[in-house]
Amino acid sequence: MITSRTSTKSLSRAASFLIRRGIVTGVSKDYVPLTVDGFVGAVGNTPLLKLNRLSEETGANIFAKAEFMNPGGSVKDRAALYVVKDAEERGLLKPGGTVVEGTAGNTGIGLAHICRAKGYKCVIYMPNTQSQGKIDLLRLLGAEVHPVPAVAFDNPENYNHKARRHAEELHNAVWTNQFDNIANRRAHIETTGPEIWKQTAGKVDAFTCSTGTGGSFAGITRFLKQASDGKVKAVLADPPGSVLYSYVSSGGKLLDRQGSSITEGIGQGRVTDNLAQDIHLVDYAVNIPDEETILMIYRLLDEEGLYLGSTSALNVVAATKVAKDLGPGSNVVTLLADGAYRYADRLFSRKWLESKKLISSIPPHLEKYIVLP
């Protein structure tokens, strides 16, 4: 319980109302909301939302962690903070240093924010297939951006390897290596997992989400398995074109990848070091077609008022499937990784949807949201 000498009159009307109605409990009448220490202090402690319509449909309780409410707009703010924090703790990064990473998306944005807040330089390597808008945003946030040809990971010219070599050539610099740096996973063992456990009062039957680096899924799974003595089911959600569904479903024997996906930043061609730590804890995997993901983007906007990207929607599709597997009354948790703001020119564009043969996945009553040509 947090107390202060400030009178109730100084509380906001909204906070006072919540306390009086018992919506917020365990708080004294003199409670004053705590401040946080800048951008870094605002990372984490995101709300856990109940998805009402889907919960009604399944008879289960489907909860989604609102990671789009992190200050940089995505779940990757947590990983960005922890890989920098880890480098500081190990003496690899000192004041005025440089953080280098290979990333095509939200990790780079999170790192750019963290570096500005902490006074570090930020250098990002990314495939030149990424949108100009993404490059412009990173530069706007103060990052030095190097778009390079998109080649496979086993090619020495892959953007990740270029980032590593760049860091090695600098003094007081670190390559944060988000895919295989288990400080990424540690972020979710120490923050996201405990937050979910507390927000559900320990009543979690299953957790599911997709994986790119593997940090979010592995870290949360590790914490929830330990906290529940192994009772929480861990279900890996995978898009087309990724090998992880086949790997989990075959007991680690297959690494088959078929097709491709509209999703960005998730799916893998290998088992990363972050995921490898806890791959044995996965109960099963589900494969989510793009048709179901795109429909869920529109459903969440129409039914829940949530403007979300494709990764978030895929996670919710997976949570719905898991809820149906477990049956009525079960509590299933997933992540809303980020919003749709960075993807709107595609997800809500008729031309783009037609080019991906996804326009037929949008039912007539939801076509009103296709507002871009």
Side-chain angles (χ1 to χ4, degrees), residues 73-111:
S74 85
V75 66
K76 293 298 186 179
D77 287 358
R78 296 184 191 254
L81 174 58
Y82 265 70
V83 294
V84 171
K85 180 180 174 182
D86 178 70
E88 292 171 333
E89 291 172 349
R90 293 194 289 143
L92 302 176
L93 187 63
K94 298 178 174 61
T98 303
V99 172
V100 187
E101 182 56 284
T103 171
N106 286 324
T107 301
I109 293 167
L111 283 171

Side-chain angles (χ1 to χ4, degrees), residues 32-345:
V32 176
L34 296 175
T35 62
V36 296
D37 188 12
F39 183 95
V40 170
V43 175
N45 291 310
T46 55
L48 188 67
L49 312 180
K50 183 175 180 180
L51 302 180
N52 294 308
R53 187 68 65 86
L54 293 169
S55 294
E56 291 171 5
E57 281 184 14
T58 60
N61 298 305
I62 299 178
F63 298 104
K65 197 91 163 82
E67 291 299 287
F68 62 89
M69 294 181 71
N70 277 300
S74 85
V75 66
K76 293 298 186 179
D77 287 358
R78 296 184 191 254
L81 174 58
Y82 265 70
V83 294
V84 171
K85 180 180 174 182
D86 178 70
E88 292 171 333
E89 291 172 349
R90 293 194 289 143
L92 302 176
L93 187 63
K94 298 178 174 61
T98 303
V99 172
V100 187
E101 182 56 284
T103 171
N106 286 324
T107 301
I109 293 167
L111 283 171
H113 278 290
I114 296 292
C115 287
R116 291 312 320 132
K118 285 178 166 282
Y120 299 123
K121 301 179 186 71
C122 182
V123 178
I124 300 296
Y125 279 79
M126 65 193 311
N128 60 7
T129 54
Q130 299 302 301
S131 69
Q132 186 62 42
K134 217 176 253 185
I135 295 169
D136 292 343
L137 174 59
L138 285 165
R139 288 175 173 158
L140 182 152
L141 293 172
E144 177 185 320
V145 184
H146 297 273
V148 298
V151 295
F153 183 80
D154 57 5
N155 187 318
E157 296 306 302
N158 176 273
Y159 66 100
N160 286 291
H161 305 315
K162 282 181 169 285
R164 173 179 52 79
R165 292 196 295 269
H166 187 115
E168 290 172 349
E169 293 169 0
L170 297 177
H171 171 70
N172 189 18
V174 62
W175 172 48
T176 46
N177 187 18
Q178 60 167 326
F179 290 92
D180 297 311
N181 182 348
I182 59 173
N184 175 348
R185 166 178 169 268
R186 175 186 157 202
H188 301 284
I189 294 174
E190 294 186 4
T191 68
T192 327
E195 288 171 28
I196 290 170
W197 190 250
K198 183 177 180 180
Q199 288 167 320
T200 58
K203 297 177 181 178
V204 185
D205 294 302
F207 169 71
T208 183
C209 78
S210 53
T211 173
T213 65
S216 300
F217 179 78
I220 295 169
T221 291
R222 164 63 62 176
F223 180 87
L224 293 178
K225 285 284 189 180
Q226 289 180 334
S228 68
D229 292 326
K231 294 177 183 177
V232 174
K233 297 281 187 187
V235 183
L236 189 151
D238 217 28
S242 173
V243 304
L244 298 177
Y245 172 75
S246 69
Y247 184 85
V248 171
S249 300
S250 68
K253 296 177 183 177
L254 298 176
L255 284 171
D256 291 342
R257 64 190 314 167
Q258 296 182 2
S260 60
S261 177
I262 62 167
T263 57
E264 296 184 30
I266 58 172
Q268 261 296 346
R270 64 188 180 97
V271 178
T272 64
D273 285 356
N274 276 294
L275 182 58
Q277 308 292 315
D278 300 299
I279 192 74
H280 64 286
L281 298 177
V282 181
D283 291 282
Y284 64 98
V286 290
N287 185 256
I288 310 298
D290 282 350
E291 290 80 4
E292 294 183 30
T293 294
I294 199 74
L295 172 59
M296 188 58 74
I297 289 172
Y298 282 73
R299 282 197 63 185
L300 288 167
L301 178 57
D302 188 64
E303 298 169 10
E304 304 284 349
L306 293 170
Y307 184 57
L308 300 169
S310 56
T311 298
S312 300
L314 183 147
N315 288 347
V316 174
V317 174
T320 304
K321 290 181 183 293
V322 174
K324 290 177 180 177
D325 289 346
L326 295 182
S330 57
N331 296 322
V332 181
V333 178
T334 192
L335 301 182
L336 302 180
D338 67 358
Y341 301 97
R342 292 162 189 158
Y343 321 105
D345 59 344

